[in-house]
Amino acid sequence: MINLKKLIAARETLLLGVVVSLVLLIATRFPGFVAPRNLANVFNDTSPLIILALGQMIVIVARCIDLSVAANLALTGMIVAMLNTMMPGLPVIVTLTLAVAIGAMLGSINGLFVWKLDIPPIVVTLGTMTIFRGIIFLISDGKWVNAHEMSQSFTNFPRMELLGLPALSWIAVLVAVAIWLLVSRTPMGRSFYAAGGNPHAAVYTGINVGKTQFFAFVISGALAGLTGYLWVARYAVAYVDIAGGFELEVVAACVIGGISIAGGIGSVAGAVLGALFLGVIKNALPVINVSPFWQLAISGAAIVIAVALNARANKTKGRIILKNAEHAQ
């Protein structure tokens, strides 16, 4: 366990160094990039990705994957946007609660299929991703909900500033703290790692692996629902293809952050740093006149390197176990 913690800490430190170095390198071309206000804007732009990556982290740690998060975001966002057009006086706190509840319900659908029917998570979430997008088209008839149809309180909430940061950024911070407390201070959090690290051994310790994975999907769905409202309110528009393909960016943030696709390994700091790495690239490259195609190439290279490092770490751990077994004999 100590070696595992050291490995995770080393990956986080390395990634933090990469993010800081990247920011400083960009500052040599565009000094204004490191201005506090601009860095705050970069963090705010990355906040939706951070929230979704934290939910995805729990799912991946539990040895699953959720490819429906962006579709969940889009469907929840469309529902609350349409509700706002019908009930413009609905308090924001009620809208937030509904968004989280709807997202959690959609996530529970994924969890039930994985838990009760034992269908591979990638198959389930690919299917629900398509279904959710189809439902958006059915309920909206393919039409957009635009800014002039939304109430001012609905669209203003994510932009409300406190101590120089918008509410969207503060929510990302609060979610990060809440997920950290969940995975490090509660039995449920520890069960995610146990179920993902060694599901067979977890059963013998009294952990219901399927039920644990179900709750991982519920949490991921709830955060996707929360992000759905924040996304739609911030950009003041809702439509069928909102956040199209964003699920791949969420998974990329987790992989770059050191969360092992094999399950059982990952941290909140890693997920946040992985998201920030992609956020810095996304915001910086256009500013310094670098082609968006390089953004894809850099992100792809980072994913390949991260996967290679994960594979190497797993091989090293396997050699240590074998070595210890030989000494025991």
Side-chain angles (χ1 to χ4, degrees), residues 223-257:
L223 293 179
L226 171 64
T227 310
Y229 160 67
L230 295 172
W231 186 299
V232 167
R234 186 191 181 207
Y235 295 108
V237 65
Y239 54 95
V240 174
D241 293 325
I242 193 169
F246 201 60
E247 61 277 343
L248 300 180
E249 200 166 335
V250 174
V251 174
C254 290
V255 173
I256 291 170

Side-chain angles (χ1 to χ4, degrees), residues 206-227:
I207 295 173
N208 186 325
V209 174
K211 189 175 182 180
T212 299
Q213 292 173 336
F214 167 80
F215 282 117
F217 277 110
V218 171
I219 293 170
S220 176
L223 293 179
L226 171 64
T227 310

Side-chain angles (χ1 to χ4, degrees), residues 6 11 27 45 114 123 126 128 161 163 222 231 242 263-264 279 286 288 313 322 327:
K6 286 182 178 178
R11 286 291 298 275
D45 288 342
V114 172
V123 176
L126 274 173
T128 54
E161 290 199 1
L163 301 177
W231 186 299
I242 193 169
I288 57 177
L322 290 173
H327 283 305

Side-chain angles (χ1 to χ4, degrees), residues 261-291:
I261 293 295
I265 298 176
S267 69
V268 169
V272 172
L273 288 169
L276 285 174
F277 175 83
L278 293 177
V280 168
I281 291 176
K282 186 175 182 179
N283 282 272
L285 296 190
V287 171
I288 57 177
N289 297 320
V290 176
S291 168

Side-chain angles (χ1 to χ4, degrees), residues 61-198:
V61 162
R63 196 173 279 198
C64 293
I65 193 166
D66 187 356
L67 298 180
S68 68
V69 287
N72 185 329
L73 178 162
L75 177 54
T76 305
M78 177 60 79
I79 291 173
V80 296
M82 293 178 68
L83 184 63
N84 179 250
T85 62
M86 294 183 287
M87 304 174 64
L90 198 67
V92 172
I93 186 65
V94 176
T95 303
L96 276 169
T97 303
L98 283 173
V100 172
I102 294 168
M105 182 192 70
L106 297 176
S108 70
I109 295 172
N110 291 327
L112 284 172
F113 277 112
V114 172
W115 177 20
K116 295 298 185 181
L117 300 182
D118 200 27
I119 303 175
I122 191 169
V123 176
V124 170
T125 56
L126 274 173
T128 54
M129 175 180 70
T130 307
I131 292 169
F132 295 164
R133 293 283 180 187
I135 293 174
I136 300 171
F137 186 85
L138 289 175
I139 64 175
S140 67
D141 199 25
K143 297 176 182 177
W144 292 31
V145 179
N146 295 305
H148 68 274
E149 300 175 84
M150 301 177 183
S151 68
Q152 195 169 10
S153 60
F154 181 88
T155 56
N156 281 351
F157 176 75
R159 301 183 180 89
M160 292 171 54
E161 290 199 1
L162 176 65
L163 301 177
L165 283 178
L168 174 58
S169 296
W170 284 114
I171 290 174
V173 172
L174 290 175
V175 168
V177 172
I179 297 298
W180 177 79
L181 289 173
L182 172 67
V183 299
S184 63
R185 296 289 186 270
T186 68
M188 178 181 287
R190 290 188 287 272
S191 69
F192 292 139
Y193 286 92
N198 193 329

